[in-house]
Amino acid sequence: METQFHLSLPCLSISKTKAFYTDVLGAKAGRSSQNWVDIDLFGHQITFTKSGPFNFDFKNYSFGGQILPSFHFGVILDRRSWKVLFQKLSQKEELLQSELDFLSGKSGEHQSFFIKDPNDYTVEFKCFTNPDEIFKY
């Protein structure tokens, strides 16, 4: 059994956050109350907790000639799952921020796309050309 990851993040609206992750991304909702909800995102638990307005002051960084947000989270998918999700979200053009190729022809080559959730979080979905190279230099 692979180890599962847990992340807890503040959110502005439990109902909008739950709807985005379940209706748009196809994730499953777990336990919840009016102040928090657990989301099963590809087998990983993200707990969103209701808060007031929040701000993460962060800088961007450059990778492969692209400017990326320093604060973001994401999921590494197999190629088939990545393509299915990309096709689904491509039909909702307002969601996709960008689709990028990284490290072309090098160890760690992968494709990513980025979306924004209702809390203004950037969520990255990536797939590696060779999954054995996820952590290789």
Side-chain angles (χ1 to χ4, degrees), residues 55-70:
N55 182 18
F56 293 103
D57 290 326
F58 58 93
K59 297 180 179 179
N60 294 328
Y61 72 102
S62 176
F63 180 67
Q66 302 294 326
I67 304 298
L68 302 173
S70 294

Side-chain angles (χ1 to χ4, degrees), residues 1 3 8 20 24 29-30 32 41 103 109-110 114 124 126:
M1 178 179 187
T3 302
S8 182
F20 176 82
V24 176
S32 66
L41 187 63
L103 301 171
E109 178 178 14
H110 63 280
F114 298 84
E124 176 182 11
K126 63 169 72 176

Side-chain angles (χ1 to χ4, degrees), residues 40-55:
D40 175 349
L41 187 63
F42 295 96
H44 302 283
Q45 182 190 54
I46 302 176
T47 301
F48 289 99
T49 57
K50 187 174 181 182
S51 70
F54 55 90
N55 182 18

